[in-house]
Amino acid sequence: MNSFSDISMARPPASPVRVTTVERRDVPVVVRAIGNVEAFQTVTLRSQVEGRLAEVRFKEGDEVRAGDLLAVIDPAPFQAALDLAKANLVKAQAQATNAAVQERRVTALAKSGIVSHDEWDRARTDAATAAASVEAAKAAVENAKLQLGFCSIPSPFDGRIGRLLVNRGNLVKENDTQLATINQMKPIYVSFTVPEKDLPAIRRWNAEHPLVTSVAFPSGGGKPVQGELSFIDNRVDTATGTVLLKAVFANADETLWPGQFVDVTLTLTTERDAVVVPAATVQTGQDGSYVFVVKPDSTIDYRPVTIARTAGQDAVVASGLEPGERI
């Protein structure tokens, strides 16, 4: 009987707890979001003339430079058109020269009264018409040169080209058939949205200095990459209550790739000498937030606290605790 009583009144084994000290330190004020990597510029290559795709001068996935020749449309028909336009120009110039000679002759005869004013008018009209034909022929030559130039398709900027969408030998249509897509990767954008309640603070601090924006991969691989906020949209999405932002990154090593999802941390400012505790130490009850303070005699005291905000694994305390206290 006594043995049973001793066992029932025995205290349960103590549970170990971790104790930490309230600190005062500088804490960054940040906004966190999920972002999506976007190319700085994107262009879809199309031919400005219709013809047969004669050459492809790139490999899929290549890095290309501005001005690099990427594709060639068969130039033979356009060279023939240019040759014809040049021949028509020569013909028009010869006719204009002859018409000008005839005009001078008739003018001289008209002044002597040998020919009528009607014949003189016709001569002047013929000369003006021939001169206009020369200008039209010159324009036709320039247009033929332009069309021939369109047979060569260069890269408009530095970037990385995607897969080839049309094989060599196929007929491509003017301003219609897509050949490939080029994405500019250096620099590169990361777009993300933030709640509209954060917009006033973001605009305030962005007006004072460029806001540092860092991104990390959800998988945890690689080091965070730093850039700067470059764009705040001019409207709030009424459906979601969010505003679109973009940050620009140098991306010299192409760590960021269009289409990736990344974790975004936008740093607004740094709060100096903030009272900080681990967020895990803060509990929530019916009366709000509280912590357990370890008193000098190693007993525990319940302490209500006011939390200004959380910053990652830390909580910034507005009131209720002093630096050096143990919790």
Side-chain angles (χ1 to χ4, degrees), residues 174-191:
E174 177 183 351
N175 297 322
D176 182 24
T177 306
Q178 298 182 10
L179 303 179
T181 298
I182 303 175
N183 286 332
Q184 184 175 352
M185 313 270 286
K186 307 172 188 177
I188 203 166
Y189 281 128
V190 172
S191 64

Side-chain angles (χ1 to χ4, degrees), residues 106-107 109-111 113-123:
V106 173
T107 298
L109 294 174
K111 290 180 179 179
I114 297 175
V115 299
S116 66
H117 284 286
D118 288 343
E119 291 184 59
W120 186 19
D121 290 340
R122 282 195 298 271

Side-chain angles (χ1 to χ4, degrees), residues 257-320:
W257 207 260
Q260 284 179 315
F261 286 96
V262 291
D263 295 326
V264 180
T265 302
L266 177 65
T267 303
L268 305 184
T269 186
T270 299
E271 183 178 350
R272 305 297 179 184
D273 297 326
V275 178
V276 181
V277 298
T281 64
V282 181
Q283 308 297 313
T284 303
Q286 293 181 344
D287 298 326
S289 300
Y290 65 92
V291 298
F292 292 109
V293 178
V294 181
K295 296 190 292 185
D297 61 359
S298 295
T299 59
I300 302 298
D301 187 26
Y302 169 90
R303 180 80 60 82
V305 293
T306 302
I307 302 300
R309 59 187 176 85
T310 57
Q313 297 182 347
D314 294 329
V316 179
V317 180
S319 62

Side-chain angles (χ1 to χ4, degrees), residues 21-24 275-277 293 303 305 317-327:
T21 303
V22 180
E23 299 180 349
R24 185 185 294 277
V275 178
V276 181
V277 298
V293 178
R303 180 80 60 82
V305 293
V317 180
S319 62
L321 289 174
E322 293 296 329
E325 289 189 292
R326 300 167 68 213
I327 61 174

Side-chain angles (χ1 to χ4, degrees), residues 43-61:
V43 65
T44 299
L45 292 179
R46 290 183 172 89
S47 173
Q48 293 181 266
V49 293
E50 182 171 329
R52 182 179 61 85
L53 182 59
E55 296 182 48
V56 175
R57 298 283 188 91
F58 66 89
K59 292 181 180 179
E60 296 177 319

Side-chain angles (χ1 to χ4, degrees), residues 45-85:
L45 292 179
R46 290 183 172 89
S47 173
Q48 293 181 266
V49 293
E50 182 171 329
R52 182 179 61 85
L53 182 59
E55 296 182 48
V56 175
R57 298 283 188 91
F58 66 89
K59 292 181 180 179
E60 296 177 319
D62 272 356
E63 188 172 1
V64 297
R65 299 293 182 185
D68 285 354
L69 182 60
L70 302 178
V72 177
I73 305 300
D74 184 7
F78 301 96
Q79 182 63 56
L82 175 60
D83 294 341
L84 177 60

